Amino acid sequence: MKRRSFIQVSSLAGAGVAIPGIQAAQSRKATRKAPRSRLNVAILGSGLRGQSHIGLLLDRDDCDVIAIADPDQVMVDRTLQMFRKRGISAPRVYQDGDEDYLNLLDKEDLDLVIIASPWRWHTEMSIAALEKNCYVGVEVCGAFSIDECWELVRAQERSNTHLFFLENVCYRRDVMAILNMVRQGLFGELLHLEGGYQHDLRGVKFNDGPGGGSGVKFGDDAFSEAKWRTIHSVHRNGDLYPTHGIGPVAMYADINRKNRFTHLTSMASKARGLHNYIVDHPMGGENHPNADIEFKLGDLVTTMIRCNNGETVVLHHDTNLPRPYSLGFRVQGTKGLWMDVNKSLHIEGMSPPHRWEEAKPYLEKYDHPLWKRHANKAEGAGHGGMDWFLVNSLVEHAMRNERPPMDVYDAATWLAITPLSEASIAGGSMPVTFPDFTRGRWTTAANTFATSDAY
Ligand code: NAD
């Protein structure tokens, strides 16, 4: 209904009739002015993650979510319900197929665009939004090719705005306390870092939704990520989701800021988990049509990365097997180490020799100033509160049109791990080199992540 009124307005504009709102929108886009005190926001992809962002935005008094694009009626209905519940006027909805987001970008007067669609769309949508000079926040994934990463970089460089890569784990409370300790030199000079995505996603990859019986379905008639994520496990073998692990690691090691990743090598185990899940599931079995699928994704993909300044990194991707969730961080330097899986650390001169110490007292003592300042506001927000910090930082940077702490060069570097690891595995774990997306700027850039306690 609302769409139709847009079509009428745009056809009037096409006929040369002056529409003040549209002219204002065009000139605003051409010359983004900062700072702003209120943002017009659009969400491209209002599925589960998009709705989580919308919830946080609707709780703020400085953002108006004025439009969403999503072709899925179920997700649109869920999203609109969030507005109704809060008594906030509904956003305009663009749901006429996969490309209707382009109409949204053409018609709406936007400051900030948040992209929470399936991975396949992230780069196209980011580029389209940057071309409209909207500040862009784009959700995490892995790239499909190195060319795609370069396209993203070039699009941002052509624009007069920024791309904020929405890696929320960089804002996790323990991760930030450890960053504080790294910066204060408690671990000495860093030598080795580990992280990864170790999350049993079998119930996400096969999910037919609330009320659907949670069988072993994926694809068009499944729910949320089972619609689009599972197919990657059928056709690809590499670290498909590197950024939750590599984001914090990159911040610890100042990657793209006087340090950089030089090359990696990846190895994948055989694939068993998803097939076994289908066969063993009460709604699956040996005769289920999905039991014939050969999944290409190795259940454990392990990637080793070497940094220019001599550090090594190990990254894990482990999503197909029964296991408790753990991102498996390890930060090790000349004076000691932290490992999140056993919630402990050891620091020479502070810890009893050769013994682990509980990390908790250190995490409290070195709680990051940002967390100390805003912990009460983050209470109840997604993923232990870190999503509040992510969205707050996004909004504050967008208000000022400031370069984000996780920028397009970080996005390109972290996303590139996926195609590089695929190439390495396909080549018998051969080493593959990282492109320098900063084109040499890493030699002088400073790490601005969480250097202010404001946002
Ligand atoms: P989802 O399937 O629930 O939501 C994706 C939505 O995008 C769906 O509603 C779908 O209909 C919509 N969509 C599909 N094609 C579209 C198009 N062409 N235009 C507009 N909308 C389109 O998946 P999700 O769990 O919300 O994941 C979305 C993104 O967020 C993914 O990149 C995922 O990896 C990421 N994610 C991040 C976190 C985190 O903690 N950082 C958590 C969950 C998901």
Side-chain angles (χ1 to χ4, degrees), residues 48-49 70 75 98 119 122 125 140 168 224-225 228 241:
L48 299 189
R49 188 65 180 154
D70 197 312
M75 291 303 194
D98 278 336
W119 305 335
H122 287 198
M125 287 179 168
V140 298
N168 50 345
S224 185
E225 298 194 2
W228 54 268
Y241 210 51

Side-chain angles (χ1 to χ4, degrees), residues 93-241:
V93 178
Y94 293 75
Q95 59 182 134
D96 191 5
D98 278 336
E99 311 256 299
D100 212 15
Y101 76 92
L102 292 170
N103 295 320
L104 179 155
L105 293 175
D106 273 345
K107 311 270 164 58
E108 299 291 342
D109 176 11
L110 293 168
D111 301 303
L112 170 62
V113 171
I114 297 180
I115 297 164
S117 52
W119 305 335
R120 177 239 174 279
W121 292 101
H122 287 198
T123 297
E124 267 177 70
M125 287 179 168
S126 296
I127 292 174
L130 288 167
E131 277 170 1
K132 298 286 180 192
N133 281 319
C134 300
Y135 202 95
V136 172
V138 61
E139 260 306 333
V140 298
C141 66
F144 294 86
S145 70
I146 296 300
D147 283 352
E148 177 195 356
C149 300
W150 277 116
E151 279 174 34
L152 199 59
V153 166
R154 288 191 199 105
Q156 189 280 320
E157 288 175 344
R158 281 196 304 270
S159 75
N160 63 13
T161 178
H162 296 279
L163 180 138
F164 191 128
F165 191 67
L166 298 175
E167 184 36 79
N168 50 345
V169 181
C170 290
Y171 290 95
R172 207 171 87 174
R173 195 168 196 163
D174 59 342
V175 164
M176 290 194 77
I178 297 294
L179 178 69
N180 206 9
M181 292 174 70
V182 166
R183 286 179 174 168
Q184 293 187 35
L186 272 94
F187 298 105
E189 185 180 353
L190 293 190
L191 298 165
H192 180 79
L193 300 123
E194 290 188 23
Y197 191 59
Q198 305 181 123
H199 189 184
D200 176 359
L201 288 184
R202 293 172 303 164
V204 169
K205 291 187 185 186
F206 302 104
N207 179 1
D208 49 4
S214 287
V216 290
K217 263 195 209 158
F218 68 97
D220 285 345
D221 55 350
F223 179 69
S224 185
E225 298 194 2
K227 267 189 194 298
W228 54 268
R229 185 175 189 145
T230 319
I231 196 72
H232 294 273
S233 308
V234 178
H235 296 298
R236 305 174 75 189
N237 195 10
D239 187 331
L240 301 185
Y241 210 51

